Amino acid sequence: MRNEMIVQGFEWDLPADSQHWNRIAEKSHELNRLGVTAVWLPPAYKGAAGVEDVGYGTYDLYDLGEFDQKNTVATKYGTKDEYLACIKALKAQGIKVYADIVFDHFMGADEKESVQAVAYRFDDRTQPISDEKEINAWTKFTFPGRKGAYNDYHWHWENFSGVDYDARNRDHAIFNFAGKGWEPQVDDENGNFDYLMGCNLDMENPETVEQLDRWGKWYQELTEIDGYRLDAVKHIRFDLFVDWLLHRREEKYDELFVVGEYWSDELEKLHEYLDSSGNLISLFDVPLHFNLYQASNSMGNFDMRQIFTDTLIETRPDWAVTFVDNHDTQKGQSLESWIEGWFKGHAYSLILLRNQGTPVVFWGDLYGTKDVEPVGPILTTMMRLRDQLVFGSMADYFDDANIVGWTCTGDFEQAHSGMAVVMTNAGGGEKEMTISAIHQGETFVDVLGNNEVKVVLDKNGQGVFPVNDGQVSVYVNEKLAKKINQ
């Protein structure tokens, strides 16, 4: 059985040429060869910005690049037929497909409506700054280009709890519709973080919840998707997805992989969400990302013994989805916290070459972005190593502020298993570590090529593994290293 490894199949600055579904389909064989077991695809439905929309400005859930809406038929990534063909191409390679679901907001309404609302402060949504008044809000979604195909429901202001613009007075504020209030079971940033952007979906409205469930049934039957990435879950009622996901599992007659994006480095908030969502949803390990970010920007002053401290991988490893960077953290984006290039190898070894958590490789690291070159052979070598090596039991040697490492025992059934990883965020050195006595007398080399020393294990499977300044080295049996580097 292959070690799980997800690729995030997009980055923010992909060209808006409607060819990305075709690109991924063409790369399906290559992704399989690299050991990828699943691909997380971007939101596939029509966004408010048309062909320029990355997918998070949700306009019409039922338009997967099929109808002439927002001045385009295709989405930024392609047409509905190309999307379905992309999914089939990945599945033909034994790769699962995870869909990105945005249930927080709609954008790009077709008509305005008059509605009573109260304005709130941007930085504290518990503090009103106006009396109840009538505003004109862009909240009516009729989807004229689709003309009722698949579903004839029109969305009105009743489906939403707030907006951030009054077209009548050209006024920007956080407007909560009269009598609605904000959902209490959300993150408490800004007092209450129910509202994020656009027309905020009202999850207390039964019709809203029913329509989202109907769409989920239609979408899963159409795509035969294997799992979901849930966007902006800190802004959505914490238990909303319980019934929605249980319905999808019943329809698929199988478990679904589900990961939520709860963007917070406060571990207790992530634990609260995991508990509130019935342990049906894994979460991205945002605290680990910020530890990696700090380490890569600390000029060697980060204590590497603390790299996993206060992270999901440390406290809830079975629900931790680990990542180095993503579309939001890349350069120029709202959550920019880019891991510096010199530390990318360190970071990916910490998520790919360990047997805890489910790692995600970012498209921009694998194939580059408009601003940054791909990580290169270090990353692809680690990916192949994760695919071809049985890790076995793991022993940590996190006993120095700068030079840390770990070993994996491998097993008897795989002839050239076993591994030692050693890294430093400052000066070089070496670390004595034990892999396993089953590998006694074997010669181990750095498969990344950062160090030329050959390490021969003693009768206890122990060796001294060197690492150069600011680098990471991964020592494997020299026969396996030759196979990996072919």
Side-chain angles (χ1 to χ4, degrees), residues 61-62 102-106 139 141 151 153-162 177 180 183 194 199-216 236-237 240-241 244 247-248:
L61 293 170
Y62 286 95
V102 186
F103 276 178
D104 177 73
H105 52 268
F106 280 7
T139 50
F141 292 78
N151 180 288
Y153 186 80
H154 290 179
W155 296 71
H156 300 268
W157 74 264
E158 292 95 337
N159 297 112
F160 309 106
S161 61
F177 297 155
K180 293 269 190 178
E183 170 58 52
D194 182 9
C199 299
N200 189 72
L201 288 167
D202 179 7
M203 300 306 183
E204 297 301 321
N205 183 317
E207 284 192 5
T208 298
V209 175
E210 179 188 0
Q211 288 300 320
L212 294 177
D213 193 58
R214 285 188 180 184
W215 175 80
I236 303 170
R237 194 183 78 218
L240 168 79
F241 285 105
W244 194 88
H247 291 166
R248 303 294 81 80

Side-chain angles (χ1 to χ4, degrees), residues 184-198:
Q185 196 188 24
V186 294
D187 191 89
D188 61 5
E189 187 177 342
N190 293 327
N192 177 291
F193 223 169
D194 182 9
Y195 185 85
L196 176 62
M197 64 177 71

